[in-house]
Amino acid sequence: MKTKTILLTLLLVLAAGVRAKDYTVKSPNGKLQVTIHAQADKLTWEMRHATTAVLVPSEIGINGHLAGMKVKVSKNAAIATNKTFCVEFRVDNDAAAYRIHKLAQQPLTVNDETAEFNFAADYQAFIPYVNDNRGGERWCYSFESYYDEQPLSQMFRDSLAINPLAVRLPEGKLAVIADMGATDYPGMMLLRNGDHGLRAAFAPLPLEEEIGGYARLNLVPTRRADYIAKIDKQEMPWRIVLVTERDAELLGARLPQRFGPKCQLQDTSWIRPGKVAWDWWNATMLTGVDFVAGMNTETYRYYIDFAAKNGLEYIIIDEGWSTDESLRSELNPDIDLLTLLSYAKSKGVGIILWTSWRNCINNTEEDFRYYAELGVKGFKVDFFDRDDQVVMQSAWKIAECAARHHLLLDFHGYRPTGIQTAFPNIVNFEGVKGLENSKWEPRVGDGPLHDQPRYDVSIPYLRMLVGPMDYTPGAMTNATRAEFFGNNNHPMSQGTRAHQVAMYTIFDAPLQMLADSPTKYEREQATTDFISQIPTTFDEVIPIAGELGEYVVLAKRKGTTWYIAAMNNWTPRQLMLSFDMLTPGIHSIEIFADGRNADRDANDYSKTKDTLGHEDRLNIHLAPGGGWSAIIK
């Protein structure tokens, strides 16, 4: 009996030694609650939103478990510390986040990082899987994914997913997982963790690379280290879980402004956003002209004239003006760049040039200085297609160099994680399944393989959370689901003309493209006139209504003018809009809407003018794959 009593006492002492010490942090409004469990051998956290369990205990770690953490709680925040690391927690009304700091001044090799997101049940999720790997390399990808909508338990076990990734909670709530601040650190991908959880995965550091990937435009790693990063910085990226009661709340939750790095530029007055006449999507196709259209001086002179006539700030000369190996030798002899730069300047239009990332990093300083002195306004840098530490460091250096020479940047094959708040001269990112995909979209059965309109009304809630999107809208040939087919040289869009026009208000893009041919826009001048009025940056954003994957309604203000737009998926719907954001009095309104027959001819639209007051209501109709836009003054 005495032996049993001693044994029981010993077990109770051991149990007390590993028992977690719990600390609670609440949001300012008290709805979001984070509980931190500082166990002797590891650190975990869990989340609740009011009565809804969001995360059950999920581990936080780096180079193994974070053991022996001591926690101090302050208002809406907490710090967990041991001898080597501290973990900073922050709880806002709509998001909880943490990031790890190293305490030592010397560099740290990060072998791995543990970031778990375990949910209370098998919830439905919007999962953007990694696919179409470059050169067959697991971590080399364009960051363009449609969303697989499936329960967490049905996630493919070995498939990587990018973020933001959404999980549907009870009571109509949403949880969205994202990272922010990965500027000297690999981006966070996600894998299935158990039956209804997720865990982070990070690209190991590349040790050797070879030219490869799509059209040999990439540098594809052939050997990677057994660790993910070597870091000098004290803080690592934020791991974020947003929680909203209504999907529309996500439309105003801009993560970079809240969790991104500090601006590195003292003067940003030279950064000029604007709209762009773009050549690649329309295959430099001009009709009714007296020269052969293509990548030549005459064609780009026409693009410049079109931009000037319609108040567009820029044109882009895309792939083909230079070789794949140099930006200054063996240039395309059919393009007289000096003549075009002089002509564009006389018309008040800027020229932006395309380059691959691989080509851009060869002689960045010399090339950027040379073209800036010639009068080039920026570069579209394509085919990063990775987010390991080497690429993240490279992107920072490119942005820093471009800023010194007052050059704008548009990053493609790159998922933003906040670098644009450090360098606001990065005015756009791709990392989105944009309009380009319609050029090669196959038909399966009675329609296109992918549901583009549903994707269009998903990305404002998810992809747009982390930064602007170079979706490249503006198709002037529009098709119903039954009529759509992919065509590389004469592309069309899924959904209506009004759906395309609404993108100019809804999609964030300080550098916004007009993707179709100038001669098509000239034939459709009424549409062009409406698009040309819409700015690319705004002073205020108000989410009005919407549901992820179903529809979206958003209002934006520039000065005293309001721009309101709605888009939906293939399901037609009626919406009642109010205008409480307007000042009292009578306002003019110009409306671009689906035509009465847009369900059969997606090119059909209605353009009207009227007046309204801030107390008025409008009942609007959205056709299948439809849209609606208004400019209110």
Side-chain angles (χ1 to χ4, degrees):
M1 180 64 70
K2 184 176 181 181
T3 302
K4 290 182 178 179
T5 302
I6 293 172
L7 180 59
L8 179 60
T9 303
L10 179 59
L11 290 172
L12 289 172
V13 170
L14 290 172
V18 297
R19 187 178 297 134
K21 294 182 179 179
D22 298 340
Y23 304 85
T24 299
V25 186
K26 292 186 177 182
S27 61
N29 65 9
K31 287 188 175 182
L32 197 60
Q33 177 179 301
V34 168
T35 301
I36 303 163
H37 305 287
Q39 298 172 244
D41 60 342
K42 64 180 178 180
L43 183 71
T44 63
W45 70 321
E46 61 180 303
M47 292 175 58
R48 297 187 68 82
H49 185 275
T51 60
T52 305
V54 180
L55 296 182
V56 296
S58 303
E59 186 171 0
I60 300 167
I62 185 166
N63 288 349
H65 304 297
L66 283 173
M69 304 295 284
K70 296 180 179 180
V71 180
K72 291 184 178 180
V73 176
S74 59
K75 188 176 182 181
N76 316 134
I79 295 287
T81 310
N82 65 13
K83 293 181 180 180
T84 310
F85 299 100
C86 79
V87 183
E88 174 189 1
F89 292 88
R90 169 177 156 186
V91 185
D92 298 343
N93 286 338
D94 64 344
Y98 73 83
R99 62 178 173 179
I100 299 171
H101 299 250
K102 69 180 182 70
L103 299 179
Q105 295 297 315
Q106 60 265 35
L108 172 71
T109 297
V110 181
N111 298 315
D112 198 9
E113 179 187 339
T114 302
E116 292 183 340
F117 308 91
N118 297 319
F119 290 88
D122 188 17
Y123 299 134
Q124 189 80 358
F126 278 67
I127 304 166
Y129 286 112
V130 169
N131 54 67
D132 188 25
N133 298 82
R134 303 305 192 192
E137 209 272 339
R138 177 171 173 79
W139 305 95
C140 199
Y141 178 56
S142 66
F143 305 97
E144 301 175 17
S145 301
Y146 293 107
Y147 296 101
D148 281 39
E149 299 174 38
Q150 58 187 172
L152 289 166
S153 64
Q154 293 181 19
M155 283 186 68
F156 306 119
R157 284 198 177 275
D158 296 327
S159 294
L160 294 165
I162 57 177
N163 76 76
L165 183 154
V167 177
R168 180 66 72 186
L169 302 174
E171 303 177 66
K173 299 177 183 179
L174 269 177
V176 179
I177 298 168
D179 67 338
M180 189 55 53
T183 55
D184 185 26
Y185 198 88
M188 182 178 73
M189 295 190 181
L190 296 165
L191 287 167
R192 178 175 162 182
N193 192 43
D195 289 334
H196 39 76
L198 300 159
R199 60 183 173 87
F202 302 92
L205 189 79
L207 298 177
E208 296 177 2
E209 303 167 326
E210 67 179 11
I211 296 173
Y214 177 78
R216 292 179 56 80
L217 292 170
N218 299 109
L219 284 176
V220 178
T222 56
R223 188 166 71 91
R224 291 184 181 267
D226 57 0
Y227 56 88
I228 64 174
K230 287 182 177 288
I231 59 171
D232 294 312
K233 292 175 62 175
Q234 299 305 110
E235 73 277 357
M236 286 162 235
W238 289 99
R239 313 297 174 215
I240 305 166
V241 181
L242 287 99
V243 183
T244 58
E245 296 179 83
R246 298 184 309 113
D247 293 8
E249 293 170 9
L250 290 173
L251 300 172
R254 298 295 185 261
L255 295 183
Q257 290 79 0
R258 296 162 61 183
F259 295 96
K262 293 181 179 178
C263 183
Q264 303 294 300
L265 308 183
Q266 292 184 345
D267 176 23
T268 60
S269 62
W270 57 272
I271 299 173
R272 184 189 180 206
K275 291 190 283 295
V276 187
W278 182 42
D279 56 352
W280 182 86
W281 191 79
N282 57 77
T284 56
M285 181 65 68
L286 302 174
T287 57
V289 297
D290 60 358
F291 55 86
V292 176
M295 296 206 73
N296 55 52
T297 303
E298 293 86 351
T299 296
Y300 288 110
R301 188 189 293 270
Y302 196 102
Y303 276 75
I304 292 166
D305 287 339
F306 166 74
K309 290 175 185 175
N310 291 280
L312 312 183
E313 288 81 0
Y314 301 99
I315 72 160
I316 279 183
I317 302 179
D318 213 281
E319 181 185 8
W321 70 274
S322 71
T323 70
D324 293 339
E325 307 301 328
S326 173
L327 293 179
R328 283 192 287 157
S329 64
E330 300 182 37
L331 303 183
N332 186 336
D334 295 329
I335 299 174
D336 187 339
L337 188 57
L338 291 179
T339 294
L340 289 172
L341 284 166
S342 176
Y343 186 68
K345 183 178 180 180
S346 73
K347 296 284 187 174
V349 175
I351 292 179
I352 295 171
L353 300 176
W354 180 94
T355 176
S356 69
W357 168 69
R358 179 171 73 82
N359 204 353
C360 176
I361 61 176
N362 290 333
N363 297 285
T364 310
E365 176 64 36
E366 294 84 356
D367 289 343
F368 280 11
R369 182 177 63 246
Y370 174 77
Y371 282 108
E373 289 174 353
L374 287 184
V376 168
K377 300 302 180 183
F379 281 90
K380 173 182 172 180
V381 185
D382 209 345
F383 293 101
F384 282 85
D385 292 356
R386 288 160 43 193
D387 69 349
D388 51 51
Q389 188 183 29
V390 167
V391 166
M392 298 309 236
Q393 291 172 335
S394 173
W396 185 279
K397 292 177 182 176
I398 291 169
E400 197 171 43
C401 182
R404 283 198 304 274
H405 298 291
H406 287 194
L407 292 169
L408 302 179
L409 291 172
D410 178 5
F411 279 177
H412 275 224
Y414 188 98
R415 183 183 62 87
T417 63
I419 188 173
Q420 67 270 33
T421 63
F423 295 100
N425 57 309
I426 307 176
V427 287
N428 223 348
F429 301 86
E430 195 184 32
V432 66
K433 281 285 188 184
L435 192 65
E436 68 173 0
N437 291 271
S438 68
K439 288 168 72 75
W440 49 76
E441 175 70 13
R443 286 185 66 86
V444 176
D446 62 351
L449 174 63
H450 296 103
D451 186 341
Q452 194 71 32
R454 185 169 182 83
Y455 179 78
D456 295 343
V457 293
S458 299
I459 51 177
Y461 300 93
L462 298 178
R463 166 61 182 81
M464 210 161 76
L465 280 170
V466 295
M469 309 181 300
D470 199 4
Y471 182 100
T472 67
M476 292 294 103
T477 302
N478 316 107
T480 64
R481 185 177 183 276
E483 294 173 338
F484 175 87
F485 62 93
N487 188 316
N488 186 73
N489 290 329
H490 300 280
M492 64 187 71
S493 72
Q494 294 185 42
T496 70
R497 173 74 57 80
H499 187 91
Q500 288 288 304
V501 170
M503 293 176 179
Y504 286 90
T505 295
I506 291 172
F507 290 167
D508 288 343
L511 192 68
Q512 183 62 282
M513 308 289 164
L514 275 71
D516 219 325
S517 166
T519 50
K520 281 191 178 182
Y521 286 119
E522 288 166 341
R523 288 198 299 270
E524 300 287 348
Q525 194 63 47
T527 302
T528 307
D529 289 344
F530 192 91
I531 291 172
S532 66
Q533 297 179 67
I534 302 172
T536 63
T537 59
F538 299 87
D539 301 321
E540 184 179 2
V541 177
I542 297 180
I544 295 179
E547 182 180 343
L548 172 60
E550 295 294 324
Y551 73 103
V552 57
V553 188
L554 196 59
K556 296 182 177 181
R557 179 182 59 82
K558 183 76 168 183
T560 59
T561 302
W562 282 95
Y563 304 83
I564 303 176
M567 292 193 306
N568 69 324
N569 56 19
W570 286 122
T571 303
R573 68 188 76 235
Q574 298 287 134
L575 298 172
M576 182 66 72
L577 299 188
S578 61
F579 301 91
D580 300 337
M581 76 288 294
L582 300 180
T583 57
I586 301 300
H587 299 262
S588 66
I589 181 170
E590 185 176 1
I591 296 172
F592 196 104
D594 291 321
R596 291 292 297 274
N597 297 297
D599 59 331
R600 291 184 293 157
D601 180 355
N603 297 288
D604 187 29
Y605 69 89
S606 168
K607 186 179 178 185
T608 58
K609 292 184 178 182
D610 206 339
T611 59
L612 83 166
H614 78 288
E615 295 180 350
D616 288 340
R617 303 289 182 268
L618 278 183
N619 189 348
I620 69 169
H621 172 72
L622 299 178
W628 184 93
S629 298
I631 301 173
I632 305 173
K633 299 179 180 179

